[in-house]
Amino acid sequence: MYDVVVVGLGAMGSAAVAEIAARGRKVLGIEARHPAHKLGSSHGDSRIIRLGYHEDPAYVPLLRRAYGNWRRLERRLGADILTKTGVLQIGHPDGRLVGGMLKSCAEYGLAHEILERAAMEDRFPGFVLESGEVAVLDPNGGYIRPETAIWGNLRLAMEDGAELHIGEKVTAIEPGANSVTIRSPSASYRARKVVVATGSWIAELVPRVAGRAVPIRQVVAWYRPSDDFAAQPQRMPCLLRDEGDRGSYFGFPQIGVDGVKIGKHTHFHEPIDPDRETPPVNDVDTAMLDSFAARRMPSVATVRVRAVTCRYTMLPGEDFLIDSLPGEPSVVVCSACSGHGFKFTSVIGEILADLSLDGGTDLPIARFSFNAHLELEETA
Ligand SMILES: Cc1cc2nc3c(=O)[nH]c(=O)nc-3n(C[C@H](O)[C@H](O)[C@H](O)COP(=O)(O)OP(=O)(O)OC[C@H]3O[C@@H](n4cnc5c(N)ncnc54)[C@H](O)[C@@H]3O)c2cc1C
């Protein structure tokens, strides 16, 4: 009998299993493929973290906690995971990104700097600003190394006594009166609680979210800069750019050998079947990213060298779902993507440990409940 079985060892599951093991409890983590594999949502070298959250000021307390937890993880691992470069959010002052970020900054008194066009050209020559646009610099922003975080969490989990089964797919979860049974083709396990953190495959084990948690295809590309100097992380912040009706884009400085990384949030919003290979990168994908690079970052994103696919799992309102299954308290469900979940991984591990071991948490997660999602649907 395990205290908890965690199904899926991507970003969220690896953090959960590490936190539960750190609390000295008996935990088993099961992963169908291998952690941070290329069909999941957590590979690709970098993820943005930022404190001035344009999506909603309500995320800020969780972000503050997440920052502290990332630093704690770095200390335990002796590894660099979070690098502060600053994050620039560019757009019209009353647009979703800039307006939303300023709202969070005002509500929580967060450090930020507003840069007009001339100041931007001077300080961050890698970015083009249109007249009427501004850039807001979040000095606390930066990037996280996802693979280091996931593998680091799993290493610590094992050191703290967790059992990990890699390459074993869970096929059924059967809640009983005082325990829950977790089955795979080769074994079955009993636990007091199960945490289901299976990313784009969430609906397979939690049919209740089918049609609500929608996996979509995502594409990112890396570019060599012509101005190597301006593309270094010491000089170039991460980027979010509001393109109005054309959506928003994100970018990273030159972190590894492949150069500057660019993607469009939700890409073409193409739903995919999680069980099939994600359709490969095609010319339409790269044409859209190349065009953005040429228009907005011509000197730092010059020659495309590589492009890969990834997956978002979108929920209504682009929010997360982290809650016990209604009527089945032994099953804790975590679908924390909607294209912006990674930065929260370090606090979500704590939340999942609280929910599975204590049945509740003091952290502010009411907006991630099944009820909140059902209400959202009713008002839509
Ligand atoms: C291109 C891209 C860019 C992003 N950029 C950012 C960003 O800048 N900042 C940010 O904060 N977030 C970002 N995100 C979002 C973030 O990466 C996701 O929120 C996060 O990675 C989701 O992690 P997960 O654990 O839910 O899913 P995954 O990491 O996919 O993990 C799920 C795991 O469950 C396993 N699994 C599935 N079914 C089973 C089963 N039946 N049995 C056992 N195991 C199973 C899978 O094999 C997989 O390993 C981005 C996402 C993408 C794709």
Side-chain angles (χ1 to χ4, degrees), residues 213-250:
V214 180
I216 64 167
R217 181 172 166 274
Q218 176 62 258
V219 177
V220 292
W222 284 259
Y223 294 81
R224 293 291 311 160
S226 58
D227 184 349
D228 216 41
F229 184 85
Q232 297 307 310
Q234 295 86 344
R235 296 185 197 91
M236 178 174 156
C238 296
L239 166 78
L240 293 185
R241 200 178 207 295
D242 193 347
E243 296 276 304
D245 294 344
R246 284 188 289 186
S248 63
Y249 288 74
F250 54 86

Side-chain angles (χ1 to χ4, degrees), residues 56 59 208 212 315-324 326 364-380:
D56 199 307
Y59 285 94
R208 178 129 192 199
R212 293 176 190 157
L315 280 161
E318 300 199 1
D319 226 321
F320 308 146
L321 172 64
I322 310 174
D323 197 3
S324 299
I365 60 161
R367 64 181 296 132
F368 307 148
S369 68
F370 269 97
N371 275 345
H373 281 279
L374 294 175
E375 275 164 26
L376 251 180
E377 281 200 344
E378 277 161 19
T379 50

Side-chain angles (χ1 to χ4, degrees), residues 295-313:
R295 279 183 293 121
R296 303 303 193 193
M297 304 162 75
S299 62
V300 288
T302 314
V303 180
R304 176 167 36 82
V305 292
R306 186 160 87 95
V308 301
T309 60
C310 194
R311 295 170 175 189
Y312 282 2
T313 304

Side-chain angles (χ1 to χ4, degrees), residues 56-322:
D56 199 307
Y59 285 94
V60 174
L62 284 175
L63 284 162
R64 284 184 161 148
R65 184 90 177 182
Y67 270 86
N69 287 355
W70 284 121
R71 293 303 186 206
R72 193 160 53 99
L73 181 62
E74 285 181 322
R75 281 194 297 276
R76 264 205 82 187
L77 284 171
D80 287 338
I81 295 178
L82 193 169
T83 303
K84 282 193 182 178
T85 55
V87 172
L88 277 174
Q89 303 205 27
I90 299 177
H92 283 277
D94 51 357
R96 195 175 67 91
L97 258 64
V98 171
M101 178 185 171
L102 291 174
K103 193 170 166 213
S104 276
C105 290
E107 201 165 318
Y108 284 94
L110 304 178
H112 66 285
E113 205 178 329
I114 299 177
L115 299 162
E116 310 279 347
R117 207 166 159 195
M120 273 290 290
E121 275 169 15
D122 233 27
R123 208 155 134 201
F124 302 118
F127 302 108
V128 172
L129 235 70
E130 299 290 330
S131 80
E133 288 183 331
V134 294
V136 189
L137 180 68
D138 176 346
N140 287 300
Y143 64 87
I144 298 169
R145 292 172 179 79
E147 289 88 353
T148 313
I150 291 172
W151 285 100
N153 268 322
L154 294 178
R155 199 193 93 197
L156 294 180
M158 284 193 291
E159 283 176 13
D160 288 338
E163 220 180 294
L164 304 181
H165 293 188
I166 307 295
E168 180 174 345
K169 180 171 174 156
V170 169
T171 46
I173 290 175
E174 294 161 7
N178 299 309
S179 67
V180 52
T181 303
I182 297 99
R183 295 190 197 281
S184 78
S186 53
S188 65
Y189 311 93
R190 274 178 66 228
R192 290 190 176 81
K193 293 281 175 76
V194 63
V195 171
V196 190
T198 51
S200 61
W201 294 269
I202 193 83
E204 280 181 7
L205 294 173
V206 188
R208 178 129 192 199
V209 304
R212 293 176 190 157
V214 180
I216 64 167
R217 181 172 166 274
Q218 176 62 258
V219 177
V220 292
W222 284 259
Y223 294 81
R224 293 291 311 160
S226 58
D227 184 349
D228 216 41
F229 184 85
Q232 297 307 310
Q234 295 86 344
R235 296 185 197 91
M236 178 174 156
C238 296
L239 166 78
L240 293 185
R241 200 178 207 295
D242 193 347
E243 296 276 304
D245 294 344
R246 284 188 289 186
S248 63
Y249 288 74
F250 54 86
F252 295 81
Q254 177 166 321
I255 295 167
V257 286
D258 290 331
V260 166
K261 185 171 101 174
I262 293 177
K264 178 176 182 286
H265 181 60
T266 71
H267 200 62
F268 293 127
H269 219 296
E270 291 164 72
I272 51 164
D273 176 349
D275 271 337
R276 303 179 77 130
E277 286 271 327
T278 313
V281 179
N282 60 47
D283 291 348
V284 185
D285 298 322
T286 49
M288 180 173 69
L289 297 176
D290 291 355
S291 155
F292 176 81
R295 279 183 293 121
R296 303 303 193 193
M297 304 162 75
S299 62
V300 288
T302 314
V303 180
R304 176 167 36 82
V305 292
R306 186 160 87 95
V308 301
T309 60
C310 194
R311 295 170 175 189
Y312 282 2
T313 304
M314 303 303 290
L315 280 161
E318 300 199 1
D319 226 321
F320 308 146
L321 172 64
I322 310 174

